[in-house]
Amino acid sequence: MKFEVWAPRAERVELFVQDTADTQDTADAADPAGASGASAPLGAGGAAGGQGRTHVLAADPERPGWWAGEAAGRDGTRYGFALDGGPVLPDPRSARQPDGPDGLSAVVEHERFAWQAPWAGRSLRDAVLYELHVGTYTPEGTLDAAAGRLDHLADLGVTHVELMPLCPFPGRHGWGYEGVSLWAVHEPYGGPEALKRFVDAAHALGLGVVLDVVHNHLGPSGNHLPAFGPYFTDTHHTPWGSAVNLDAPGSDEVRAYLIGGALAWLRDYGLDGLRLDAVHALCDTRALHFLEELATAVDALAGELGRPLGLIAESDLNDPRLVTPRASGGFGLHAQWNDDFHHALHTALTGESQGYYADFARDPFAALEKTLTRGYFHDGTYSSFRGRAHGRPLDRARTPAYRLLGYAQTHDQVGNRALGDRLSASLSPGLLACAAALTLTGPFTPMLFMGEEWAASTPWQFFTDHTDAGLAEAVRQGRRREFAAHGWAEEEIPDPQDPATRERSCLDWAEREKGHHARVLAWYRELIALRRARADLTDPDLAAVRVAYDARARWFAVRRGDLRVVVNLSGRAAEVPLGARRARVLAAWEPVEAPGGDGLLRLPAESCAVLAAE
């Protein structure tokens, strides 16, 4: 089979193929003279970890910087590359790292997998997403164990599972945002075959699968890309150090590396979309922006496969160009996370005002109104957190509301808190129900964070499993210093390296059937079913959304066509002028009567209702 690698700085590249009982007998026959040069045994060393044979690769005359050759190999064959006599390193395009990021790569023959579920795809239009971390969704922390819980999501009514990053990282447990080997699946989760089984099981239940991918940085440990070529550049700097090289010399191949990996996830694993982490940290000054190039390639693949594929950006820019079609001068991504909606809702619910919440907390009900009717809160307005104007207005005439994702909780907004506490740690079930009502009946594409749907009592804390003792201690101390600056005692901050931190963060599936947890879960099911049944709730026209509120009385009402969604965040009952003389109650957290002749809806404290005007 053919092996190839991009190593533009190398003068000699050797392929190391580890000996196995099944392949060694045919190695010489599969390596014809002249195809890969001389071959000879190579002892253990570097990533090899065993005996094998080397094959000198030839420079590709058609592709500068590329080296290629033939050698015996099949599914499971372990291999790596040695540059200029150095240690054997894993393949940058490795699809499998059986022994972790520092070990040999393994061949994956994707066509061997027997897909069972016919699947025509599922668009992000009218979707309800569910963000899931494989390592804490179940105590086992594997893709197969998570697949065993997919029936819960199908019953809940969500349409897409959004998996947090799966790329390999040192150790067993972590969030996944320090991954390396960007084409591979973390082996402790089950590796490539387990991801395919997960996707197949999801599709059999009618669920699409979106994967979170990280293109803006790689982890500090196990990253061997710099040895191969200019994958990073000092032209730009990010919070994680040197930027991924998207516009400096050599960037053509780096962009191709990232785009090729993205297409491989969608093509080889049957995924339905990708969530792009922190695209504001992708530093690119080229006329054709990387995101536009990626979106063009994904749309082309969708046409080739005959099923919809989506790209969802996480962005701090409030820049509508991300989701504006390319024909209109945008990048053509399909959706983006909308933190402004989260921040407005969070401040209205909790009263928190630190950091980036400050501008929203000045008048949270007004901030919530603006985001629900105009998409962004910061659309050219002054941001005190940034010390400058931020964002630009969203053109509601050409940007459908479903291109923005709305959510009350995410891994970021929970896990980056000092104690990883969810809203359920401080809010009553009634206020949680109000948050769900505004999220699931709002104009944006809703997204839930795992366990939110039953008001999970388990926190979701920051945890790591670094195998480098120095790095582990640096992360531990850095986390403590960060929150000590905000008034937390160091001993109160969970140790990321302590296995108990990850264990505390695993969902407790038994509690979803108990007490208020079961009641909240039933409410989520009811709201998602209502969203699916009532076309007004998926109307993409932001300009059609109407809002009324009384900040002093703490009630907030949203009009979606003939529907009225009303929440009372106060500890007292509220009288809400509904604006409709006749209406019937479609769903309510607490029992309520339809408005009388005075048009007033009498809503109990910390409760909500959805009504249809007649």
Side-chain angles (χ1 to χ4, degrees):
M1 67 185 302
K2 184 176 182 180
F3 292 85
E4 58 182 1
V5 67
W6 182 60
R9 297 167 178 164
E11 296 184 2
R12 178 183 174 90
V13 177
E14 295 168 287
L15 166 70
F16 171 79
V17 180
Q18 191 176 63
D19 287 342
T20 68
D22 293 331
T23 62
Q24 187 57 48
D25 292 341
T26 59
D28 293 337
D31 183 27
S36 61
S39 68
L42 178 73
Q51 297 297 316
R53 300 184 71 82
T54 60
H55 308 265
V56 179
L57 300 185
D60 189 331
E62 302 296 325
R63 295 187 298 166
W66 280 88
W67 303 76
E70 298 284 335
R74 65 180 189 179
D75 192 83
T77 296
R78 300 195 183 189
Y79 69 98
F81 299 105
L83 311 178
D84 296 327
V88 178
L89 301 174
D91 183 359
R93 285 171 168 75
S94 169
R96 186 180 175 206
Q97 290 297 119
D99 303 308
D102 293 315
L104 286 173
S105 301
V107 172
V108 175
E109 295 177 344
H110 290 290
E111 64 276 8
R112 290 167 56 95
F113 186 81
W115 295 93
Q116 301 296 316
W119 184 246
R122 189 157 194 174
S123 169
L124 291 172
R125 176 75 168 89
D126 300 335
V128 177
L129 281 76
Y130 186 96
E131 190 186 22
L132 181 160
H133 178 262
V134 169
T136 50
Y137 189 59
T138 66
E140 299 88 345
T142 66
L143 283 156
D144 286 331
R149 292 289 187 178
L150 287 174
D151 56 342
H152 163 76
L153 301 184
D155 181 60
L156 180 62
V158 303
T159 64
H160 291 73
V161 183
E162 183 177 300
L163 296 172
M164 288 175 61
L166 299 180
C167 290
F169 53 87
R172 178 176 181 83
H173 295 298
W175 280 20
Y177 292 94
E178 294 184 340
V180 293
S181 300
L182 298 187
W183 294 41
V185 180
H186 192 48
E187 201 70 15
Y189 288 165
E193 292 292 294
L195 177 56
K196 292 173 186 175
R197 291 192 294 269
F198 180 94
V199 173
D200 210 19
H203 288 171
L205 292 169
L207 298 169
V209 183
V210 175
L211 176 64
D212 194 338
V213 296
V214 184
H215 290 157
N216 52 62
H217 74 289
L218 277 78
S221 180
N223 175 15
H224 299 286
L225 289 182
F228 286 90
Y231 283 89
F232 300 88
T233 175
D234 289 329
T235 303
H236 310 287
H237 289 272
T238 74
W240 308 282
S242 296
V244 173
N245 180 14
L246 298 176
D247 58 5
S251 59
D252 286 355
E253 290 291 354
V254 177
R255 291 159 77 107
Y257 169 76
L258 297 176
I259 292 172
L263 298 181
W265 291 117
L266 298 168
R267 180 186 59 246
D268 298 335
Y269 295 92
L271 293 170
D272 300 282
L274 302 174
R275 183 259 192 188
L276 309 175
D277 180 66
V279 300
H280 50 269
L282 296 173
C283 304
D284 183 8
T285 61
R286 291 170 61 159
L288 176 62
H289 194 280
F290 169 75
L291 291 174
E292 182 180 351
E293 188 177 358
L294 174 61
T296 301
V298 168
D299 286 347
L301 181 62
E304 176 187 329
L305 298 178
R307 57 184 175 89
L309 301 173
L311 291 174
I312 304 170
E314 180 203 16
S315 174
D316 185 42
L317 300 175
N318 283 20
D319 186 351
R321 287 179 296 180
L322 290 173
V323 293
T324 297
R326 291 186 294 279
S328 300
F331 293 162
L333 302 180
H334 305 93
Q336 71 154 99
W337 280 27
N338 186 10
D339 275 354
D340 280 13
F341 171 75
H342 169 273
H343 298 347
L345 178 59
H346 188 90
T347 55
L349 290 166
T350 68
E352 292 183 14
S353 60
Q354 72 277 14
Y356 48 63
Y357 290 135
D359 293 330
F360 299 84
R362 289 193 181 95
D363 193 343
F365 282 68
L368 192 54
E369 177 192 26
K370 184 174 181 181
T371 58
L372 284 170
T373 58
R374 297 189 175 275
Y376 300 141
F377 174 72
H378 284 303
D379 54 4
T381 59
Y382 182 79
S383 164
S384 62
F385 176 69
R386 298 171 181 85
R388 59 168 175 78
H390 185 65
R392 65 187 298 172
L394 190 77
D395 185 347
R396 296 183 295 177
R398 68 176 183 179
T399 307
Y402 61 77
R403 296 207 184 279
L404 302 181
L405 267 61
Y407 36 83
Q409 301 180 77
T410 70
H411 79 273
D412 270 331
Q413 303 301 339
V414 175
N416 283 325
R417 297 172 68 85
L419 302 180
D421 49 314
R422 300 169 179 264
L423 287 177
S424 55
S426 57
L427 299 183
S428 69
L431 289 179
L432 297 176
C434 291
L438 290 173
T439 302
L440 289 168
T441 67
F444 311 129
T445 296
M447 185 180 73
L448 313 178
F449 179 57
M450 63 176 196
E452 168 191 338
E453 71 275 19
W454 72 71
S457 64
T458 50
W460 202 75
Q461 298 176 336
F462 180 71
F463 53 90
T464 56
D465 188 22
H466 291 302
T467 54
D468 182 318
L471 179 59
E473 183 61 20
V475 170
R476 180 185 293 116
Q477 295 303 324
R479 186 82 174 170
R480 289 172 175 169
R481 284 194 302 270
E482 175 186 357
F483 288 103
H486 296 285
W488 292 88
E490 288 193 7
E491 62 271 15
E492 295 179 1
I493 307 304
D495 179 358
Q497 287 285 121
D498 185 345
T501 304
R502 177 260 169 184
E503 291 165 8
R504 281 192 298 271
S505 301
C506 291
L507 291 177
D508 176 3
W509 284 86
E511 69 180 3
R512 64 184 176 142
E513 301 173 358
K514 303 173 183 176
H516 73 275
H517 300 291
R519 186 183 177 196
V520 171
L521 178 57
W523 179 241
Y524 271 77
R525 286 196 185 109
E526 186 174 9
L527 289 173
I528 294 173
L530 190 63
R531 183 178 185 88
R532 185 166 53 242
R534 305 293 298 218
D536 283 339
L537 295 181
T538 52
D539 180 358
D541 185 4
L542 270 176
V545 178
R546 296 289 183 269
V547 169
Y549 64 88
D550 185 329
R552 184 181 297 274
R554 291 185 57 75
W555 62 258
F556 192 92
V558 184
R559 178 175 176 175
R560 308 285 321 276
D562 290 333
L563 302 187
R564 310 291 190 274
V565 182
V566 189
V567 303
N568 178 14
L569 306 185
S570 169
R572 299 180 178 180
E575 292 188 343
V576 182
L578 199 62
R581 291 293 179 182
R582 298 185 60 187
R584 60 189 176 91
V585 178
L586 300 179
W589 176 250
E590 299 285 2
V592 297
E593 298 290 335
D598 57 4
L600 293 176
L601 173 67
R602 291 166 174 82
L603 200 57
E606 298 184 350
S607 67
C608 47
V610 182
L611 303 95
E614 296 181 338

